[in-house]
PDB file of all heavy atoms in Angstrom:
ATOM      1  N   GLY J 225     -24.136   1.292 -32.082  1.00 98.00           N
ATOM      2  CA  GLY J 225     -22.841   1.802 -31.628  1.00 98.00           C
ATOM      3  C   GLY J 225     -22.665   3.278 -31.971  1.00 98.00           C
ATOM      4  O   GLY J 225     -23.415   3.834 -32.785  1.00 98.00           O
ATOM      5  N   CYS J 226     -21.698   3.925 -31.332  1.00 97.00           N
ATOM      6  CA  CYS J 226     -21.365   5.319 -31.664  1.00 97.00           C
ATOM      7  C   CYS J 226     -20.036   5.680 -31.002  1.00 97.00           C
ATOM      8  O   CYS J 226     -19.428   4.841 -30.331  1.00 97.00           O
ATOM      9  CB  CYS J 226     -22.470   6.269 -31.226  1.00 97.00           C
ATOM     10  SG  CYS J 226     -22.529   6.571 -29.459  1.00 97.00           S
ATOM     11  N   GLU J 227     -19.604   6.914 -31.232  1.00 98.00           N
ATOM     12  CA  GLU J 227     -18.386   7.423 -30.593  1.00 98.00           C
ATOM     13  C   GLU J 227     -18.752   8.577 -29.695  1.00 98.00           C
ATOM     14  O   GLU J 227     -19.629   9.375 -30.041  1.00 98.00           O
ATOM     15  CB  GLU J 227     -17.420   7.976 -31.651  1.00 98.00           C
ATOM     16  CG  GLU J 227     -16.481   6.945 -32.185  1.00 98.00           C
ATOM     17  CD  GLU J 227     -15.378   7.536 -33.049  1.00 98.00           C
ATOM     18  OE1 GLU J 227     -14.671   8.437 -32.570  1.00 98.00           O
ATOM     19  OE2 GLU J 227     -15.256   7.071 -34.195  1.00 98.00           O
ATOM     20  N   HIS J 228     -18.081   8.686 -28.566  1.00 98.00           N
ATOM     21  CA  HIS J 228     -18.440   9.751 -27.632  1.00 98.00           C
ATOM     22  C   HIS J 228     -17.200  10.157 -26.829  1.00 98.00           C
ATOM     23  O   HIS J 228     -16.394   9.303 -26.462  1.00 98.00           O
ATOM     24  CB  HIS J 228     -19.531   9.235 -26.681  1.00 98.00           C
ATOM     25  CG  HIS J 228     -19.952  10.225 -25.655  1.00 98.00           C
ATOM     26  ND1 HIS J 228     -20.858  11.224 -25.913  1.00 98.00           N
ATOM     27  CD2 HIS J 228     -19.569  10.400 -24.364  1.00 98.00           C
ATOM     28  CE1 HIS J 228     -21.034  11.961 -24.825  1.00 98.00           C
ATOM     29  NE2 HIS J 228     -20.262  11.486 -23.866  1.00 98.00           N
ATOM     30  N   ARG J 229     -17.097  11.452 -26.549  1.00 98.00           N
ATOM     31  CA  ARG J 229     -15.988  11.956 -25.727  1.00 98.00           C
ATOM     32  C   ARG J 229     -16.520  12.315 -24.339  1.00 98.00           C
ATOM     33  O   ARG J 229     -17.481  13.084 -24.218  1.00 98.00           O
ATOM     34  CB  ARG J 229     -15.394  13.192 -26.412  1.00 98.00           C
ATOM     35  CG  ARG J 229     -14.181  13.721 -25.708  1.00 98.00           C
ATOM     36  CD  ARG J 229     -13.616  14.960 -26.421  1.00 98.00           C
ATOM     37  NE  ARG J 229     -12.733  15.650 -25.512  1.00 98.00           N
ATOM     38  CZ  ARG J 229     -11.469  15.315 -25.287  1.00 98.00           C
ATOM     39  NH1 ARG J 229     -10.940  14.306 -25.951  1.00 98.00           N
ATOM     40  NH2 ARG J 229     -10.733  15.981 -24.419  1.00 98.00           N
ATOM     41  N   VAL J 230     -15.904  11.748 -23.319  1.00 98.00           N
ATOM     42  CA  VAL J 230     -16.364  11.953 -21.937  1.00 98.00           C
ATOM     43  C   VAL J 230     -16.131  13.413 -21.521  1.00 98.00           C
ATOM     44  O   VAL J 230     -15.067  13.980 -21.784  1.00 98.00           O
ATOM     45  CB  VAL J 230     -15.580  11.026 -20.968  1.00 98.00           C
ATOM     46  CG1 VAL J 230     -16.047  11.225 -19.524  1.00 98.00           C
ATOM     47  CG2 VAL J 230     -15.715   9.576 -21.389  1.00 98.00           C
ATOM     48  N   VAL J 231     -17.120  14.003 -20.871  1.00 98.00           N
ATOM     49  CA  VAL J 231     -17.031  15.387 -20.381  1.00 98.00           C
ATOM     50  C   VAL J 231     -15.873  15.487 -19.361  1.00 98.00           C
ATOM     51  O   VAL J 231     -15.515  14.492 -18.735  1.00 98.00           O
ATOM     52  CB  VAL J 231     -18.383  15.792 -19.734  1.00 98.00           C
ATOM     53  CG1 VAL J 231     -18.654  15.015 -18.446  1.00 98.00           C
ATOM     54  CG2 VAL J 231     -18.470  17.269 -19.459  1.00 98.00           C
ATOM     55  N   SER J 232     -15.326  16.680 -19.201  1.00 98.00           N
ATOM     56  CA  SER J 232     -14.164  16.810 -18.306  1.00 98.00           C
ATOM     57  C   SER J 232     -14.609  16.755 -16.832  1.00 98.00           C
ATOM     58  O   SER J 232     -15.774  16.990 -16.509  1.00 98.00           O
ATOM     59  CB  SER J 232     -13.414  18.102 -18.596  1.00 98.00           C
ATOM     60  OG  SER J 232     -14.089  19.166 -17.995  1.00 98.00           O
ATOM     61  N   ASP J 233     -13.653  16.454 -15.980  1.00 98.00           N
ATOM     62  CA  ASP J 233     -13.960  16.200 -14.571  1.00 98.00           C
ATOM     63  C   ASP J 233     -14.018  17.513 -13.785  1.00 98.00           C
ATOM     64  O   ASP J 233     -12.982  18.099 -13.456  1.00 98.00           O
ATOM     65  CB  ASP J 233     -12.894  15.260 -13.983  1.00 98.00           C
ATOM     66  CG  ASP J 233     -13.341  14.668 -12.664  1.00 98.00           C
ATOM     67  OD1 ASP J 233     -13.945  15.408 -11.849  1.00 98.00           O
ATOM     68  OD2 ASP J 233     -13.105  13.461 -12.446  1.00 98.00           O
ATOM     69  N   ARG J 234     -15.225  17.945 -13.462  1.00 98.00           N
ATOM     70  CA  ARG J 234     -15.381  19.248 -12.790  1.00 98.00           C
ATOM     71  C   ARG J 234     -14.838  19.189 -11.356  1.00 98.00           C
ATOM     72  O   ARG J 234     -14.409  20.198 -10.813  1.00 98.00           O
ATOM     73  CB  ARG J 234     -16.849  19.706 -12.822  1.00 98.00           C
ATOM     74  CG  ARG J 234     -17.787  18.795 -12.102  1.00 98.00           C
ATOM     75  CD  ARG J 234     -19.235  19.022 -12.486  1.00 98.00           C
ATOM     76  NE  ARG J 234     -20.045  17.924 -12.002  1.00 98.00           N
ATOM     77  CZ  ARG J 234     -20.771  17.942 -10.896  1.00 98.00           C
ATOM     78  NH1 ARG J 234     -20.821  19.042 -10.176  1.00 98.00           N
ATOM     79  NH2 ARG J 234     -21.477  16.894 -10.517  1.00 98.00           N
ATOM     80  N   ILE J 235     -14.854  18.017 -10.761  1.00 98.00           N
ATOM     81  CA  ILE J 235     -14.368  17.912  -9.373  1.00 98.00           C
ATOM     82  C   ILE J 235     -12.831  17.934  -9.351  1.00 98.00           C
ATOM     83  O   ILE J 235     -12.224  18.551  -8.475  1.00 98.00           O
ATOM     84  CB  ILE J 235     -14.912  16.624  -8.698  1.00 98.00           C
ATOM     85  CG1 ILE J 235     -16.448  16.570  -8.809  1.00 98.00           C
ATOM     86  CG2 ILE J 235     -14.444  16.520  -7.253  1.00 98.00           C
ATOM     87  CD1 ILE J 235     -17.179  17.747  -8.161  1.00 98.00           C
ATOM     88  N   GLU J 236     -12.222  17.283 -10.346  1.00 98.00           N
ATOM     89  CA  GLU J 236     -10.755  17.353 -10.416  1.00 98.00           C
ATOM     90  C   GLU J 236     -10.324  18.812 -10.625  1.00 98.00           C
ATOM     91  O   GLU J 236      -9.430  19.321  -9.946  1.00 98.00           O
ATOM     92  CB  GLU J 236     -10.223  16.468 -11.554  1.00 98.00           C
ATOM     93  CG  GLU J 236      -8.705  16.321 -11.496  1.00 98.00           C
ATOM     94  CD  GLU J 236      -8.075  15.818 -12.790  1.00 98.00           C
ATOM     95  OE1 GLU J 236      -8.685  15.944 -13.871  1.00 98.00           O
ATOM     96  OE2 GLU J 236      -6.929  15.334 -12.718  1.00 98.00           O
TER      97      GLU J 236
END
Side-chain angles (χ1 to χ4, degrees):
C226 75
E227 271 190 55
H228 178 82
R229 185 180 163 82
V230 180
V231 68
S232 79
D233 195 319
R234 62 197 167 99
I235 306 301
E236 190 197 22

